Amino acid sequence: MTQVLANAKVTAARLVELYKDLHAHPELSFEEHRTAGIVAGRLKALGLEVSTGVGRTGVVGIARNGEGPTVLLRADMDALPVLEDTGLDYASTARGTDPEGHDVPVMHACGHDVHVVCLLGATEVLLGCREHWSGTLVVVFQPAEEAGSGAKAMIDDGLFDLVPAPTVVLGQHVAPAPAGVVGVHAGDAFAGADSFNVRLFGRGGHGSRPETTIDPVVMAAAAVMRLQTVVSRDTAGTDMAVLTVGQLHAGTKNNIIPDEATLGLTLRTTNTAVRERSVAALRRIISAEAAASGADREPEITLAESFPVLHNDPAATARTVGAFQAAFGEERVMDPGAVTGSEDVGEFSTAAGVPLVYWLLGGADPVAFAAAQSAGTTDSDIPSNHSPHYAPVISPTLEMGVGALSVAALEWFDSGTFVHPAGEAEAEEQAAG
Ligand SMILES: [Zn+2]
Ligand SMILES: [Zn+2]
């Protein structure tokens, strides 16, 4: 075990330059060509069977090492349209084109560069100790997590025809928790997220003669206010739901009543029943507000993006947490509870019909985090993912991320005696006692 963690440390240190390079060259969802090329090159150099272009820009590596379980480790590769403001000397100045054709700044504001490097590192560590485990290692580098469609794109493109059926799916996400710590929550762990685009149809006309029109601005305003009741009146106090209207567009000039208004909204829930009830409520409210305005055309409500609730299999989570605690010590493994962020990694485990264990990897400077925690200012002082200031510390984040993936994979390869040498704990206790 000590050897695995020592190898993780050395490997992570060797990958710092690659991390800075990837951070400085982020790519938007489904545009991860450079990143995918680097990943594929490194996997080939390590001797894996490599497939590229899976789900457009996804990369898959397979290392066959005898009989045994198949462990699938997953990292996502895409970045976000955010203007980096970290002041790091490896900060991004990259630009990209978003799906609507706009020129936008691009930044690894969600830390997927950390995920790529940690998975490359873990692959190296696992191959370096291949005499201690047997089975098949599958590494999946996924595009377009931020769009909620990358995992599905790889599956639809035949991922599970390319790779042997996995025993388990494992992965991690860097988070604004202290570096050196992992956080795992059993059961429903990440919220499901649904993004809806809404078109409300009225009838335009002169601002001086509202009686001749059906005003979509008033319709939209009423809908936005009433949508607040999806959480406050339709959701039980013991359940969790978040509904935010992030976009509202209508009109071109102060004295013109426009023909239509559009809304963009996001709904987060942590269980399927609450999700279905909330979706039904929001459809009902939008449709009823249109009717209340006298609209003669039903609103259009389109589901633009959908992330399922991420469910960590309780038994598989307990097994993985046990391995983490043995490797890192109990004080470095915490339960963060369910989080309102969303992830599409569950698409892989659901499609394969196997358990998922997905954990949070601390990325915040531990000293700054402790100071903010005692001042009660973590929300304002510790930048979270998607912020232009989000900058995980390289050490010990990378080392812990490489170590966590390696430890979890070895646990699932049943290399129990290698991970926890028999009698080691007792021997240490006796020595200490
Ligand atoms: Zn993100
Ligand atoms: Zn992310």
Side-chain angles (χ1 to χ4, degrees), residues 414-427:
D414 298 319
S415 61
T417 51
F418 179 57
V419 179
H420 317 296
E424 189 188 68
E426 293 94 291

Side-chain angles (χ1 to χ4, degrees), residues 90-137:
Y90 52 92
S92 161
T93 54
R95 314 267 323 166
T97 305
D98 74 8
E100 286 76 46
H102 304 126
D103 174 64
V104 290
V106 188
M107 171 188 176
H108 264 302
C110 204
H112 298 184
D113 46 354
V114 172
H115 308 167
V116 169
V117 168
C118 290
L119 183 48
L120 286 172
T123 307
E124 214 175 309
V125 168
L126 290 166
L127 291 178
C129 65
R130 62 192 308 157
E131 69 279 15
H132 293 285
W133 57 272
S134 76
T136 303
L137 172 66

Side-chain angles (χ1 to χ4, degrees), residues 76 80 109-112 145-146 173 342-343 385-386:
D76 43 10
L80 286 161
C110 204
H112 298 184
E145 187 281 329
E146 295 292 352
H173 204 301
S342 299
E343 250 299 333
N385 305 58
H386 292 206

Side-chain angles (χ1 to χ4, degrees), residues 200-204 213-216 219 257-261 295-297:
L200 294 163
F201 303 105
R203 187 171 62 236
T213 72
I214 296 167
D215 189 342
M219 201 189 297
I257 294 169
D259 265 332
E260 71 174 80
D296 39 27
R297 190 170 158 197

Side-chain angles (χ1 to χ4, degrees), residues 260-280:
E260 71 174 80
T262 59
L263 305 178
L265 56 99
T266 177
L267 170 72
R268 311 240 162 182
T269 49
T270 49
N271 85 54
T272 312
V274 176
R275 176 189 182 272
E276 279 167 12
R277 191 179 161 114
S278 302
V279 172

